[in-house]
Amino acid sequence: MKVLKFGGTSMANADTVKRVADIVKSESVNRFIVVSAPGKRDGRDTKVTDMLYALYDYRRTHDDCSAAFQPIADRFAEIADRLGLYKIKGFDLDGELEKIKYDVDGGADKDYTASRGEYLSAYMLAHLLNRPFVDAKDIIRFNADGNFDEKTTFELCGKILDAKSGAVIPGFYGSMPSGAIKTFSRGGSDVTGAIIAGAVGAKLYENWTDVDGFLSGDPKVVENPRVIDVITYRELRELSYMGAAVLHPESIFPVRKRDIPIRIRNTFNPQAKGTLIVPTEQLLGGKIKREELPLTGIAGKKDFLSVQIEKSMMNNEKGFARKVLSVLEQFDLSLEHMPSGIDTLSVVIDKHDVKREQIDGMLKSLKESVNPDRMEIIDNIALIAVVGHGMNRRKGMMSAITGALFDADVNIRMIDQGSSELNIIIAVENCDYEKAIRALHGLDL
Ligand code: ASP
């Protein structure tokens, strides 16, 4: 049993949906299909989900939502028409659209409105494939606090999906105990796919997107990054955290817990093998020795801030780190890294989504709370993660890394090897970021 999830670009127009149908039909293995709403058809296009959010906003200031609704209806109607769906008995896109417009005009909430892209996408694909349609609201459940309710969801999946083998399911949303629709965060169809894969005990979760797989470096920065064949969940987590996004980060958890591998595939190049994401044990369980593993990938992010706190005899002062961390908590700042020396401790904070007042407040409070001898702020630093399971077992890794950065004339501000055994984090100035990434990607390790 496999679960296949097709993203927005795969569902963008009639031609791409046709490709999806061909991929589904090309194997006889029993599969559940999860889909996103139609995404962008080209660089200037708008995703249906964004059109739906705009529709919701429009409705709040207008009694009749026709003007914002019509372009959405037209997109689906065009796909249905070009796929010949109107000839299929029981296919009633007009009826579905009418109901959605009626609901939105009647004041439907934001999550319901946004979810209709996935709903219609799955409705159409189910008809095209002549497979059952299962509404995500009937199987994906949230609890009253709005958190995903795995127990109820798995029970419902067991009951409903058993009888609907091969069903097509909309991604991105589920329902609250009250029956109201609730969506995951943006890109959440990946999460739905992973949940269904976990619930039905799939052997593989295939995530079909528009790239050949997970790349060893950001193609906007390095020339010709290679597609990574196999990567572990832990390596993927490190690289995604640093911004190498192919999958919604939360989507890893439901399948990871059950050791279900994920394969990233390209709808537009189905011959490519893609990237297989496996539990660490599956990679290392074979004959491969950690130290023989090549470097898996490099990713990084700009705009971090590091506060270096110096205090003589810091190591003797009990509770020093706790006090520093409570100041961060007080100002709602999350800690990214905490490299330390004998009398120094640095806290590294991601500046995205952080307000100036939070930083100012933190600095003032740190002075009061730990009374440091000196505090230095290093603004605008970039962090780069060099990731691979062989990292800390192979001799010469660090010297190759520092040598490459020296040759590229990059000054290293900080190194954090951490304890994860699978990455080394290098901090450089924002302005050196691209140069550093290119130099490290060029290493043949
Ligand atoms: N359509 C939703 C979004 O654009 C969910 C998804 O595509 O996964 O975020």
Side-chain angles (χ1 to χ4, degrees), residues 74-301:
D74 290 348
R75 266 197 83 168
F76 283 105
E78 189 196 329
I79 300 176
D81 183 37
R82 288 198 41 219
L83 291 172
L85 294 176
Y86 289 108
K87 290 191 225 101
I88 297 172
K89 200 165 156 263
F91 180 77
D92 183 17
L93 181 65
D94 293 344
E96 295 291 342
L97 288 168
E98 213 172 287
K99 158 127 185 30
I100 295 170
K101 177 157 187 309
Y102 177 82
D103 290 341
V104 175
D105 276 339
D109 67 19
K110 193 170 182 174
D111 281 16
Y112 169 86
T113 310
S115 72
R116 294 303 88 187
E118 270 69 14
Y119 174 89
L120 291 174
S121 210
Y123 177 79
M124 294 205 305
L125 187 65
H127 280 87
L128 181 66
L129 291 168
N130 192 21
R131 283 172 172 241
F133 166 81
V134 171
D135 193 344
K137 81 170 172 28
D138 299 327
I139 49 174
I140 307 277
R141 273 294 154 79
F142 294 88
N143 61 29
D145 302 334
N147 294 318
F148 171 59
D149 176 352
E150 185 176 286
K151 189 166 172 284
T152 314
T153 298
F154 278 35
E155 278 164 19
L156 288 168
C157 284
K159 250 189 252 155
I160 296 175
L161 295 181
D162 265 3
K164 302 263 182 173
S165 159
V168 182
I169 305 158
F172 189 39
Y173 71 93
S175 62
M176 300 286 287
S178 65
I181 297 288
K182 177 167 167 54
T183 60
F184 290 105
S185 56
R186 292 299 304 266
S189 300
D190 283 341
V191 183
T192 311
I195 292 169
I196 304 292
V200 301
K203 288 251 169 325
L204 181 67
Y205 171 31
E206 263 182 9
N207 193 295
W208 289 80
T209 171
D210 54 5
V211 291
D212 277 348
F214 216 88
L215 298 175
S216 58
D218 181 351
K220 287 196 234 65
V221 181
V222 297
E223 257 175 57
N224 302 325
R226 73 192 151 73
V227 174
I228 302 171
D229 284 344
V230 185
I231 184 170
T232 64
Y233 282 120
R234 290 179 58 201
E235 290 171 323
L236 181 82
R237 165 86 180 116
E238 302 276 346
L239 290 171
S240 319
Y241 158 80
M242 282 295 187
V246 172
L247 274 180
H248 191 294
E250 278 171 50
S251 69
I252 297 175
F253 296 107
V255 280
R256 180 178 180 168
K257 236 168 60 184
R258 295 170 180 82
D259 285 351
I260 299 170
I262 308 175
R263 191 181 277 285
I264 311 276
R265 301 286 303 265
N266 187 353
T267 303
F268 304 92
N269 184 16
Q271 285 78 31
K273 268 182 30 224
T275 298
L276 184 66
I277 306 162
V278 293
T280 309
E281 301 66 39
Q282 277 181 29
L283 180 77
L284 297 173
K287 292 188 192 70
I288 317 172
K289 288 208 190 89
R290 241 177 219 267
E291 46 273 35
E292 283 164 11
L293 288 169
L295 205 97
T296 304
I298 291 167
K301 262 203 292 196

